[in-house]
Amino acid sequence: MSVDAQTDAAARTEVLIRFGIRYGFLILLVGLLIFFHFSARGFTSPQSAAFIFQSVAITAILALGVTATLVVGGFDLSIGAVATTTLMASAYVMVVWDQPALVAVLFCLGIGLLVGFVNGVLVVHMRVPDLLATLGMMFLLIGLQRIPTEGRSISRGMTLPDGTTAPGSFSEGFLALGRHRFDFFVDNLIPASVVVMIVLGIVMYVFLEFTRHGRMMYAIGSNPRAAELAGVPVRTYKIVAYMISGVFASIGGILLAARLGRGDIASGNNLLLDSVAAALIGFAVLGAARPNAFGTAVGALFVGILLQGLTMMNAPYYTQDFVKGAVLVVALVFTFALSHRAGR
Amino acid sequence: MTTNVALAISGITKAFGTNLVLRGVDLDLHAGQVTVLMGANGAGKSTLVKIIGGVHAPDGGEMRLGGAPFRPADPAGAIRAGVVTVHQSINDGVIPDLDVATNLVLDRLPGTGEPHLFKPGRARTIAAEVAERMGLALDLRAMVRDLSLADRQMVAIARAMAREPQVMILDEPTSSLSDAEARRLFALVDRLRDRGVAILYISHRTSDIRRIADRIIALRDGAISGRFETEPLDYEAAVTAMLGHGLTEAGIEARPAGAEVLRADGLRLTPAGRPFSLSLHRGEVVALTGLIGTGKTALAETLVGLRSPVAGRLSLAGRPYRPRSIREAIAAGVFLSAKDRANNAIIPAFSIFQNISLPFLARYGRFGFLTGGPERKMARDQIDRLGIVCQGERDPILTLSGGNQQKSVVARWLSQPCRLLILDEPFQGVDIRARRDIGAKLRETAGDRATLVLCAELDEALEVADRILVMADHTLVGAHVNTDIDLDQVLSQIATHAEAASDARPSR
C-alpha cells in the first residue's frame, strides 16, 4: 500500500516536472503580462504592444539567423558585426555612391551572404572551431566598416576624406523600411520592421520544422557522423546555415539603418549579446531543449516585455542588462538542469 | 604453473539492464605471467577489464588482490590498490602537450604531500629513474605529441609502471603499431614480467600471442569458454573457443542465387593486401566473417564510396560503379548500415520515425515540405514488421532498448528498396531475440536485392547467410556455401590466415 502511494506520489511529481518544463516559460510570460497589466498603467495598450515588438524586432531577426547555426551544432558570433557593417554599407552606398535604395539593399544582402559563406568555409573546410572563426570575422568586420569613412559616421552632406561633399542621401523608400507603420485596428500601428520580423519568423519556423532541409539540419546538430552516413550533405548544410545567419543579420542591419537614417558608427553594440540570449532562452520554451525558431521569437519577446514593463514601472535603464542576464540564466537552468533530471 | 596468484577473480557477474554481460567469470592472474584474454565483440572483455579497473562494480562474485578483498570504488581506487590499465586508445594514457618527463611523473601531481611548486629539474630526475628502470631510451624533454605512436605507448606503459602495480592490464596495445614497434613493446612486456607483475593482455594478433603469452583464456558470451595453459599453446583451439560454433544449427536453406548485382575484380584494399574478386547476387544473403581489423569494414566502406580502393574495378548490375560519396552510393541503390549504432547511426535527438526516414526524406513530401502522413505510416509499417517494442513511432529513439534501437537502424535501410544492402555488425550489442528477429527479417526481405552482412562472430554468420566468405589481412581467403559447412576449415581459415597476415605485415 505505502509503496503504491509512494510510486503514485513519485509519478505525480514526475508529471508535474514534465508540465513545468514544457509550459513553465510560457506560464511565466503570461504571468508577467498579467502583473504588468495591473502594476503599469497603459502597458496592455496596442501602442505599448507595438513598441515592444518594435524594440525586439531587429534583435529577433538576428536571433532567428543564429538559430540556424545553433541547429547544425555551430555558433555565429559575427552577426552583430554583420548588422553594423551592413548599416554602414547601406549608408555608404546611398550617401557616398548616390545609389537608389534597391541597390543598397541588394548590396547589403550580398555582404550577409558572402560573410556567411566565408564563415561556413572557415568552419567546414578549414576546420577552424566555430566560435573562433566567427570571433575573428567579428573583429575583421568591426574594423572594416570604419575604413572607408576613416572612422566617422555617414550622414547627408558629410565631407568625404578627399575633401568633397557626399552627393547622395537616404531615399524616402529606404527610410520607409524603418519608419512606415501599417494600420492594424488602430491607424499607423505596426512598424515595417515588425512585419519583416514576423514574416521571417514564420519562414524560419516552417523551414526548420516542416521541410526536409530543416530535418537534416537538426540531424547534423545531433549526430553529424550518423547524418553523413545516412547520406546527408553535412558540409553543404553547415555552410548554408552560416549563410542564413549572415543574411538575416544583414536584414537586421538594413532595418537599423532605415530607422536611424544615418550610418551611425556607434549603433548596434548590444545586438550580438541580445540576440544570442534570445536564441538561448528559446531552448527553454515548450521544453524543446534545442534551438528552435518559435522559442527564439518567444525568447526575444520575453526580454522585450520584461524591459518595457520594468521601464514603465520606472526601473532605471542601467538595470536592463542585469535583467536580461538573469532571464538567460534562469532559462538555461530550465533547459539543462531540469530536463536532464526528467531523464531526457 | 607458478602458484603465486596476484589477482583472483571468482564468480563475477554483471548485467546492464536485462542484458547479462558476464555470467560468472573465474580467473586467476599469476605474478610474473602474461595471461592473454581473447574474445569476440560483445563477449564481455571490456566489461571484465572495466570491473577489474574499477570503472564498473560487479553485480556478484568477488576479487582478491594478493589475498585481500579487492573492491575498487573507482579507477583511482584500483590504481591505489595496485591495478593499472593501459587503454587501447593511446592518447588516453599520455598528455600530448607535455614533455616525456612530465608525463612520467604526472600521477604524482595530484598526490597530497607533494610540493605545490613544480620543479622541472626534480621531475626530470624522477622521470629519468623511471625511464632507466623500464629501459626507455627517449629524450625526456621531447614533447609527447612529437613521438611516434609506439613511443607514446611506451610512455603510457612506463607511466603506469611508475605506480609500481601488482597487476597491469594492456588492452590491445599493438593495435596501431607496426611489427618492429610491437617488438619493442614486447621487450618492455618481458621486463614487466621479470619484475613480477601479473599481466592481463588483450589481443587477437597471433604474432603477439605466440610471442608473449604464457597462457590463453578465451571468453565467449560472458563466460570463460577455454583455458590453454600447457605448452605449446593451441591458438586455433583458442580461436574456436572464442568464436564458438555448433550451439545454433539455424537450419538455413541456402537458396539459389539470382542475377549478379555487384562484381569486384582485382580489388585491393591496402597497398600490401592481395587482390581478390567478389560477386554478390540477387536474393542471396552473404556473410563476411573474419577477426577484427582484417578489412571487413574497409571493404564495406569501399563499396559505398567512403574510401577508394588501391586497385580494382567495381561494377553494379553490369555497369561500372565508382561511387565518390555515400550519397552517390545511396542514389545508385547501395545502402550501408554502419556498425556502432550510437556513433554512426542513431540521431539521439530524433524520434523513431525521424531516425528511420532520414536518408529518404525527399520521398516523403513535396517541394521539400514534410507532410508527416506518408513518413509516419512508413515508420509504423517498419515498426510492425520488425517488432520494434515501443508505444508509437513518435517515441524518442533513446527511450528504446539497445535491441530495439538496432532494429530501428536496420528498419531505416529496409524501408526503401535497394540493389545491395550492406550491414556492418548488425547484431552488435543486441540480445539473442533481437538478433533472431533481425536475421529472420533480413532473410525474408532478401529476394529483390543482394545482401552482405559483416560479422566477426561465426554463429551470427551461420544464422543468417546462404554463403559465408572469410576475410583475413584485407583479402578473401575462403568461401563456403552454408549447408553442411566444414566449420573446422572455416575456423582454421580465420585463424591461420590471420597468422600469415600478421606475419606478413610490413614493418616501418
Side-chain angles (χ1 to χ4, degrees), chain A residues 16-44:
Chain A
L16 214 63
I17 289 177
R18 293 246 160 123
F19 184 81
I21 289 169
R22 201 163 164 77
Y23 298 109
F25 228 80
L26 291 179
I27 291 169
L28 209 58
L29 186 66
V30 173
L32 269 182
L33 286 175
I34 295 170
F35 173 75
F36 285 133
H37 174 74
F38 287 110
S39 45
R41 269 171 57 87
F43 178 80
T44 38

PDB file of all heavy atoms in Angstrom, chain A residues 16-44:
ATOM      1  N   LEU A  16       4.329  16.553 -12.905  1.00  0.00           N
ATOM      2  CA  LEU A  16       4.415  17.979 -12.600  1.00  0.00           C
ATOM      3  C   LEU A  16       5.690  18.589 -13.189  1.00  0.00           C
ATOM      4  O   LEU A  16       5.656  19.659 -13.784  1.00  0.00           O
ATOM      5  CB  LEU A  16       4.400  18.155 -11.073  1.00  0.00           C
ATOM      6  CG  LEU A  16       3.699  19.403 -10.572  1.00  0.00           C
ATOM      7  CD1 LEU A  16       2.226  19.360 -10.937  1.00  0.00           C
ATOM      8  CD2 LEU A  16       3.876  19.525  -9.059  1.00  0.00           C
ATOM      9  N   ILE A  17       6.799  17.857 -13.018  1.00  0.00           N
ATOM     10  CA  ILE A  17       8.073  18.360 -13.549  1.00  0.00           C
ATOM     11  C   ILE A  17       7.987  18.488 -15.061  1.00  0.00           C
ATOM     12  O   ILE A  17       8.353  19.508 -15.647  1.00  0.00           O
ATOM     13  CB  ILE A  17       9.233  17.423 -13.152  1.00  0.00           C
ATOM     14  CG1 ILE A  17       9.522  17.553 -11.655  1.00  0.00           C
ATOM     15  CG2 ILE A  17      10.499  17.774 -13.942  1.00  0.00           C
ATOM     16  CD1 ILE A  17      10.587  16.621 -11.153  1.00  0.00           C
ATOM     17  N   ARG A  18       7.442  17.442 -15.700  1.00  0.00           N
ATOM     18  CA  ARG A  18       7.306  17.482 -17.161  1.00  0.00           C
ATOM     19  C   ARG A  18       6.484  18.692 -17.591  1.00  0.00           C
ATOM     20  O   ARG A  18       6.847  19.406 -18.513  1.00  0.00           O
ATOM     21  CB  ARG A  18       6.597  16.209 -17.652  1.00  0.00           C
ATOM     22  CG  ARG A  18       7.415  14.981 -17.438  1.00  0.00           C
ATOM     23  CD  ARG A  18       7.837  14.337 -18.738  1.00  0.00           C
ATOM     24  NE  ARG A  18       8.976  13.494 -18.455  1.00  0.00           N
ATOM     25  CZ  ARG A  18       9.028  12.200 -18.706  1.00  0.00           C
ATOM     26  NH1 ARG A  18       8.024  11.629 -19.290  1.00  0.00           N
ATOM     27  NH2 ARG A  18      10.091  11.510 -18.407  1.00  0.00           N
ATOM     28  N   PHE A  19       5.348  18.889 -16.888  1.00  0.00           N
ATOM     29  CA  PHE A  19       4.472  20.013 -17.203  1.00  0.00           C
ATOM     30  C   PHE A  19       5.232  21.318 -17.046  1.00  0.00           C
ATOM     31  O   PHE A  19       5.151  22.205 -17.896  1.00  0.00           O
ATOM     32  CB  PHE A  19       3.241  19.978 -16.290  1.00  0.00           C
ATOM     33  CG  PHE A  19       2.246  21.044 -16.598  1.00  0.00           C
ATOM     34  CD1 PHE A  19       1.335  20.884 -17.647  1.00  0.00           C
ATOM     35  CD2 PHE A  19       2.209  22.223 -15.867  1.00  0.00           C
ATOM     36  CE1 PHE A  19       0.425  21.875 -17.937  1.00  0.00           C
ATOM     37  CE2 PHE A  19       1.298  23.214 -16.155  1.00  0.00           C
ATOM     38  CZ  PHE A  19       0.396  23.042 -17.190  1.00  0.00           C
ATOM     39  N   GLY A  20       5.982  21.411 -15.928  1.00  0.00           N
ATOM     40  CA  GLY A  20       6.737  22.634 -15.659  1.00  0.00           C
ATOM     41  C   GLY A  20       7.754  22.923 -16.740  1.00  0.00           C
ATOM     42  O   GLY A  20       7.884  24.048 -17.219  1.00  0.00           O
ATOM     43  N   ILE A  21       8.464  21.868 -17.158  1.00  0.00           N
ATOM     44  CA  ILE A  21       9.485  22.057 -18.189  1.00  0.00           C
ATOM     45  C   ILE A  21       8.847  22.494 -19.492  1.00  0.00           C
ATOM     46  O   ILE A  21       9.347  23.365 -20.200  1.00  0.00           O
ATOM     47  CB  ILE A  21      10.277  20.756 -18.391  1.00  0.00           C
ATOM     48  CG1 ILE A  21      11.179  20.497 -17.182  1.00  0.00           C
ATOM     49  CG2 ILE A  21      11.113  20.826 -19.656  1.00  0.00           C
ATOM     50  CD1 ILE A  21      11.783  19.136 -17.179  1.00  0.00           C
ATOM     51  N   ARG A  22       7.697  21.907 -19.786  1.00  0.00           N
ATOM     52  CA  ARG A  22       7.071  22.178 -21.078  1.00  0.00           C
ATOM     53  C   ARG A  22       6.446  23.575 -21.136  1.00  0.00           C
ATOM     54  O   ARG A  22       6.671  24.325 -22.064  1.00  0.00           O
ATOM     55  CB  ARG A  22       6.008  21.106 -21.351  1.00  0.00           C
ATOM     56  CG  ARG A  22       5.673  20.989 -22.801  1.00  0.00           C
ATOM     57  CD  ARG A  22       4.963  19.695 -23.118  1.00  0.00           C
ATOM     58  NE  ARG A  22       4.332  19.810 -24.417  1.00  0.00           N
ATOM     59  CZ  ARG A  22       4.981  19.725 -25.562  1.00  0.00           C
ATOM     60  NH1 ARG A  22       6.274  19.506 -25.536  1.00  0.00           N
ATOM     61  NH2 ARG A  22       4.366  19.865 -26.707  1.00  0.00           N
ATOM     62  N   TYR A  23       5.661  23.883 -20.083  1.00  0.00           N
ATOM     63  CA  TYR A  23       4.880  25.125 -20.169  1.00  0.00           C
ATOM     64  C   TYR A  23       5.368  26.220 -19.231  1.00  0.00           C
ATOM     65  O   TYR A  23       4.826  27.312 -19.215  1.00  0.00           O
ATOM     66  CB  TYR A  23       3.400  24.824 -19.912  1.00  0.00           C
ATOM     67  CG  TYR A  23       2.833  23.883 -20.946  1.00  0.00           C
ATOM     68  CD1 TYR A  23       2.514  22.566 -20.630  1.00  0.00           C
ATOM     69  CD2 TYR A  23       2.652  24.313 -22.257  1.00  0.00           C
ATOM     70  CE1 TYR A  23       2.017  21.701 -21.587  1.00  0.00           C
ATOM     71  CE2 TYR A  23       2.163  23.457 -23.223  1.00  0.00           C
ATOM     72  CZ  TYR A  23       1.841  22.156 -22.880  1.00  0.00           C
ATOM     73  OH  TYR A  23       1.366  21.304 -23.832  1.00  0.00           O
ATOM     74  N   GLY A  24       6.403  25.896 -18.423  1.00  0.00           N
ATOM     75  CA  GLY A  24       6.861  26.843 -17.403  1.00  0.00           C
ATOM     76  C   GLY A  24       7.138  28.224 -17.960  1.00  0.00           C
ATOM     77  O   GLY A  24       6.681  29.236 -17.427  1.00  0.00           O
ATOM     78  N   PHE A  25       7.856  28.268 -19.078  1.00  0.00           N
ATOM     79  CA  PHE A  25       8.275  29.566 -19.578  1.00  0.00           C
ATOM     80  C   PHE A  25       7.104  30.353 -20.130  1.00  0.00           C
ATOM     81  O   PHE A  25       7.013  31.565 -19.951  1.00  0.00           O
ATOM     82  CB  PHE A  25       9.366  29.398 -20.635  1.00  0.00           C
ATOM     83  CG  PHE A  25      10.514  30.307 -20.385  1.00  0.00           C
ATOM     84  CD1 PHE A  25      11.474  29.974 -19.445  1.00  0.00           C
ATOM     85  CD2 PHE A  25      10.618  31.513 -21.046  1.00  0.00           C
ATOM     86  CE1 PHE A  25      12.520  30.834 -19.176  1.00  0.00           C
ATOM     87  CE2 PHE A  25      11.665  32.374 -20.780  1.00  0.00           C
ATOM     88  CZ  PHE A  25      12.618  32.032 -19.845  1.00  0.00           C
ATOM     89  N   LEU A  26       6.183  29.663 -20.785  1.00  0.00           N
ATOM     90  CA  LEU A  26       5.015  30.358 -21.332  1.00  0.00           C
ATOM     91  C   LEU A  26       4.125  30.856 -20.194  1.00  0.00           C
ATOM     92  O   LEU A  26       3.576  31.961 -20.257  1.00  0.00           O
ATOM     93  CB  LEU A  26       4.226  29.432 -22.267  1.00  0.00           C
ATOM     94  CG  LEU A  26       4.950  29.096 -23.575  1.00  0.00           C
ATOM     95  CD1 LEU A  26       4.118  28.163 -24.430  1.00  0.00           C
ATOM     96  CD2 LEU A  26       5.283  30.369 -24.346  1.00  0.00           C
ATOM     97  N   ILE A  27       3.997  30.048 -19.129  1.00  0.00           N
ATOM     98  CA  ILE A  27       3.201  30.463 -17.977  1.00  0.00           C
ATOM     99  C   ILE A  27       3.822  31.713 -17.348  1.00  0.00           C
ATOM    100  O   ILE A  27       3.131  32.670 -16.988  1.00  0.00           O
ATOM    101  CB  ILE A  27       3.102  29.324 -16.949  1.00  0.00           C
ATOM    102  CG1 ILE A  27       2.242  28.187 -17.526  1.00  0.00           C
ATOM    103  CG2 ILE A  27       2.522  29.817 -15.630  1.00  0.00           C
ATOM    104  CD1 ILE A  27       2.285  26.921 -16.710  1.00  0.00           C
ATOM    105  N   LEU A  28       5.150  31.706 -17.252  1.00  0.00           N
ATOM    106  CA  LEU A  28       5.866  32.857 -16.713  1.00  0.00           C
ATOM    107  C   LEU A  28       5.580  34.100 -17.561  1.00  0.00           C
ATOM    108  O   LEU A  28       5.365  35.197 -17.038  1.00  0.00           O
ATOM    109  CB  LEU A  28       7.368  32.545 -16.746  1.00  0.00           C
ATOM    110  CG  LEU A  28       8.247  33.197 -15.686  1.00  0.00           C
ATOM    111  CD1 LEU A  28       7.761  32.828 -14.299  1.00  0.00           C
ATOM    112  CD2 LEU A  28       9.685  32.743 -15.877  1.00  0.00           C
ATOM    113  N   LEU A  29       5.550  33.896 -18.874  1.00  0.00           N
ATOM    114  CA  LEU A  29       5.298  35.007 -19.797  1.00  0.00           C
ATOM    115  C   LEU A  29       3.894  35.586 -19.561  1.00  0.00           C
ATOM    116  O   LEU A  29       3.726  36.806 -19.426  1.00  0.00           O
ATOM    117  CB  LEU A  29       5.417  34.497 -21.239  1.00  0.00           C
ATOM    118  CG  LEU A  29       5.321  35.524 -22.368  1.00  0.00           C
ATOM    119  CD1 LEU A  29       6.489  36.469 -22.322  1.00  0.00           C
ATOM    120  CD2 LEU A  29       5.299  34.812 -23.713  1.00  0.00           C
ATOM    121  N   VAL A  30       2.895  34.704 -19.458  1.00  0.00           N
ATOM    122  CA  VAL A  30       1.525  35.160 -19.211  1.00  0.00           C
ATOM    123  C   VAL A  30       1.448  35.844 -17.850  1.00  0.00           C
ATOM    124  O   VAL A  30       0.830  36.907 -17.698  1.00  0.00           O
ATOM    125  CB  VAL A  30       0.548  33.962 -19.283  1.00  0.00           C
ATOM    126  CG1 VAL A  30      -0.851  34.395 -18.853  1.00  0.00           C
ATOM    127  CG2 VAL A  30       0.522  33.386 -20.682  1.00  0.00           C
ATOM    128  N   GLY A  31       2.137  35.256 -16.864  1.00  0.00           N
ATOM    129  CA  GLY A  31       2.156  35.849 -15.527  1.00  0.00           C
ATOM    130  C   GLY A  31       2.695  37.274 -15.559  1.00  0.00           C
ATOM    131  O   GLY A  31       2.149  38.189 -14.937  1.00  0.00           O
ATOM    132  N   LEU A  32       3.782  37.450 -16.323  1.00  0.00           N
ATOM    133  CA  LEU A  32       4.379  38.782 -16.451  1.00  0.00           C
ATOM    134  C   LEU A  32       3.388  39.772 -17.042  1.00  0.00           C
ATOM    135  O   LEU A  32       3.235  40.894 -16.554  1.00  0.00           O
ATOM    136  CB  LEU A  32       5.596  38.714 -17.377  1.00  0.00           C
ATOM    137  CG  LEU A  32       6.953  38.458 -16.751  1.00  0.00           C
ATOM    138  CD1 LEU A  32       8.009  38.484 -17.828  1.00  0.00           C
ATOM    139  CD2 LEU A  32       7.256  39.511 -15.696  1.00  0.00           C
ATOM    140  N   LEU A  33       2.688  39.332 -18.108  1.00  0.00           N
ATOM    141  CA  LEU A  33       1.716  40.198 -18.767  1.00  0.00           C
ATOM    142  C   LEU A  33       0.646  40.638 -17.771  1.00  0.00           C
ATOM    143  O   LEU A  33       0.308  41.819 -17.693  1.00  0.00           O
ATOM    144  CB  LEU A  33       1.070  39.473 -19.953  1.00  0.00           C
ATOM    145  CG  LEU A  33       1.943  39.304 -21.190  1.00  0.00           C
ATOM    146  CD1 LEU A  33       1.235  38.467 -22.244  1.00  0.00           C
ATOM    147  CD2 LEU A  33       2.316  40.666 -21.762  1.00  0.00           C
ATOM    148  N   ILE A  34       0.132  39.671 -16.998  1.00  0.00           N
ATOM    149  CA  ILE A  34      -0.912  39.992 -16.023  1.00  0.00           C
ATOM    150  C   ILE A  34      -0.368  40.961 -14.971  1.00  0.00           C
ATOM    151  O   ILE A  34      -0.983  41.970 -14.625  1.00  0.00           O
ATOM    152  CB  ILE A  34      -1.438  38.705 -15.361  1.00  0.00           C
ATOM    153  CG1 ILE A  34      -2.137  37.838 -16.413  1.00  0.00           C
ATOM    154  CG2 ILE A  34      -2.391  39.028 -14.210  1.00  0.00           C
ATOM    155  CD1 ILE A  34      -2.485  36.447 -15.939  1.00  0.00           C
ATOM    156  N   PHE A  35       0.835  40.668 -14.496  1.00  0.00           N
ATOM    157  CA  PHE A  35       1.444  41.509 -13.470  1.00  0.00           C
ATOM    158  C   PHE A  35       1.600  42.950 -13.952  1.00  0.00           C
ATOM    159  O   PHE A  35       1.203  43.900 -13.278  1.00  0.00           O
ATOM    160  CB  PHE A  35       2.803  40.920 -13.069  1.00  0.00           C
ATOM    161  CG  PHE A  35       3.592  41.787 -12.139  1.00  0.00           C
ATOM    162  CD1 PHE A  35       3.242  41.875 -10.794  1.00  0.00           C
ATOM    163  CD2 PHE A  35       4.682  42.522 -12.597  1.00  0.00           C
ATOM    164  CE1 PHE A  35       3.971  42.670  -9.930  1.00  0.00           C
ATOM    165  CE2 PHE A  35       5.402  43.330 -11.739  1.00  0.00           C
ATOM    166  CZ  PHE A  35       5.043  43.394 -10.409  1.00  0.00           C
ATOM    167  N   PHE A  36       2.150  43.100 -15.178  1.00  0.00           N
ATOM    168  CA  PHE A  36       2.376  44.445 -15.681  1.00  0.00           C
ATOM    169  C   PHE A  36       1.054  45.147 -16.002  1.00  0.00           C
ATOM    170  O   PHE A  36       0.944  46.360 -15.889  1.00  0.00           O
ATOM    171  CB  PHE A  36       3.273  44.424 -16.925  1.00  0.00           C
ATOM    172  CG  PHE A  36       4.714  44.169 -16.598  1.00  0.00           C
ATOM    173  CD1 PHE A  36       5.444  43.243 -17.303  1.00  0.00           C
ATOM    174  CD2 PHE A  36       5.339  44.869 -15.573  1.00  0.00           C
ATOM    175  CE1 PHE A  36       6.776  43.014 -17.006  1.00  0.00           C
ATOM    176  CE2 PHE A  36       6.668  44.645 -15.255  1.00  0.00           C
ATOM    177  CZ  PHE A  36       7.385  43.713 -15.977  1.00  0.00           C
ATOM    178  N   HIS A  37       0.034  44.358 -16.384  1.00  0.00           N
ATOM    179  CA  HIS A  37      -1.259  44.958 -16.680  1.00  0.00           C
ATOM    180  C   HIS A  37      -1.793  45.705 -15.459  1.00  0.00           C
ATOM    181  O   HIS A  37      -2.343  46.797 -15.561  1.00  0.00           O
ATOM    182  CB  HIS A  37      -2.259  43.874 -17.105  1.00  0.00           C
ATOM    183  CG  HIS A  37      -3.653  44.384 -17.289  1.00  0.00           C
ATOM    184  ND1 HIS A  37      -4.011  45.148 -18.381  1.00  0.00           N
ATOM    185  CD2 HIS A  37      -4.758  44.268 -16.523  1.00  0.00           C
ATOM    186  CE1 HIS A  37      -5.282  45.468 -18.280  1.00  0.00           C
ATOM    187  NE2 HIS A  37      -5.768  44.949 -17.157  1.00  0.00           N
ATOM    188  N   PHE A  38      -1.599  45.080 -14.295  1.00  0.00           N
ATOM    189  CA  PHE A  38      -2.133  45.702 -13.081  1.00  0.00           C
ATOM    190  C   PHE A  38      -1.190  46.724 -12.474  1.00  0.00           C
ATOM    191  O   PHE A  38      -1.615  47.625 -11.777  1.00  0.00           O
ATOM    192  CB  PHE A  38      -2.491  44.622 -12.054  1.00  0.00           C
ATOM    193  CG  PHE A  38      -3.722  43.860 -12.447  1.00  0.00           C
ATOM    194  CD1 PHE A  38      -3.648  42.533 -12.844  1.00  0.00           C
ATOM    195  CD2 PHE A  38      -4.968  44.487 -12.448  1.00  0.00           C
ATOM    196  CE1 PHE A  38      -4.786  41.847 -13.215  1.00  0.00           C
ATOM    197  CE2 PHE A  38      -6.108  43.812 -12.824  1.00  0.00           C
ATOM    198  CZ  PHE A  38      -6.021  42.481 -13.211  1.00  0.00           C
ATOM    199  N   SER A  39       0.107  46.579 -12.711  1.00  0.00           N
ATOM    200  CA  SER A  39       1.015  47.480 -11.994  1.00  0.00           C
ATOM    201  C   SER A  39       1.584  48.600 -12.864  1.00  0.00           C
ATOM    202  O   SER A  39       2.161  49.541 -12.339  1.00  0.00           O
ATOM    203  CB  SER A  39       2.150  46.685 -11.352  1.00  0.00           C
ATOM    204  OG  SER A  39       2.655  45.752 -12.263  1.00  0.00           O
ATOM    205  N   ALA A  40       1.475  48.484 -14.212  1.00  0.00           N
ATOM    206  CA  ALA A  40       1.971  49.575 -15.047  1.00  0.00           C
ATOM    207  C   ALA A  40       0.831  50.077 -15.911  1.00  0.00           C
ATOM    208  O   ALA A  40       0.327  49.358 -16.772  1.00  0.00           O
ATOM    209  CB  ALA A  40       3.131  49.096 -15.911  1.00  0.00           C
ATOM    210  N   ARG A  41       0.399  51.304 -15.700  1.00  0.00           N
ATOM    211  CA  ARG A  41      -0.745  51.839 -16.438  1.00  0.00           C
ATOM    212  C   ARG A  41      -0.427  51.952 -17.917  1.00  0.00           C
ATOM    213  O   ARG A  41       0.642  52.407 -18.293  1.00  0.00           O
ATOM    214  CB  ARG A  41      -1.103  53.214 -15.902  1.00  0.00           C
ATOM    215  CG  ARG A  41      -2.119  53.180 -14.782  1.00  0.00           C
ATOM    216  CD  ARG A  41      -2.254  54.559 -14.158  1.00  0.00           C
ATOM    217  NE  ARG A  41      -2.633  55.571 -15.156  1.00  0.00           N
ATOM    218  CZ  ARG A  41      -3.899  55.843 -15.494  1.00  0.00           C
ATOM    219  NH1 ARG A  41      -4.883  55.206 -14.904  1.00  0.00           N
ATOM    220  NH2 ARG A  41      -4.177  56.759 -16.378  1.00  0.00           N
ATOM    221  N   GLY A  42      -1.352  51.473 -18.753  1.00  0.00           N
ATOM    222  CA  GLY A  42      -1.165  51.594 -20.201  1.00  0.00           C
ATOM    223  C   GLY A  42      -0.288  50.521 -20.798  1.00  0.00           C
ATOM    224  O   GLY A  42       0.000  50.541 -21.993  1.00  0.00           O
ATOM    225  N   PHE A  43       0.133  49.537 -19.990  1.00  0.00           N
ATOM    226  CA  PHE A  43       1.036  48.509 -20.501  1.00  0.00           C
ATOM    227  C   PHE A  43       0.377  47.660 -21.578  1.00  0.00           C
ATOM    228  O   PHE A  43       1.006  47.274 -22.551  1.00  0.00           O
ATOM    229  CB  PHE A  43       1.518  47.617 -19.356  1.00  0.00           C
ATOM    230  CG  PHE A  43       2.424  46.509 -19.825  1.00  0.00           C
ATOM    231  CD1 PHE A  43       3.759  46.755 -20.084  1.00  0.00           C
ATOM    232  CD2 PHE A  43       1.933  45.223 -20.023  1.00  0.00           C
ATOM    233  CE1 PHE A  43       4.584  45.750 -20.540  1.00  0.00           C
ATOM    234  CE2 PHE A  43       2.753  44.216 -20.478  1.00  0.00           C
ATOM    235  CZ  PHE A  43       4.085  44.480 -20.740  1.00  0.00           C
ATOM    236  N   THR A  44      -0.894  47.348 -21.370  1.00  0.00           N
ATOM    237  CA  THR A  44      -1.561  46.456 -22.324  1.00  0.00           C
ATOM    238  C   THR A  44      -2.304  47.210 -23.421  1.00  0.00           C
ATOM    239  O   THR A  44      -3.254  46.704 -23.989  1.00  0.00           O
ATOM    240  CB  THR A  44      -2.518  45.493 -21.594  1.00  0.00           C
ATOM    241  OG1 THR A  44      -3.141  46.209 -20.531  1.00  0.00           O
ATOM    242  CG2 THR A  44      -1.785  44.311 -21.051  1.00  0.00           C
TER     243      THR A  44
END
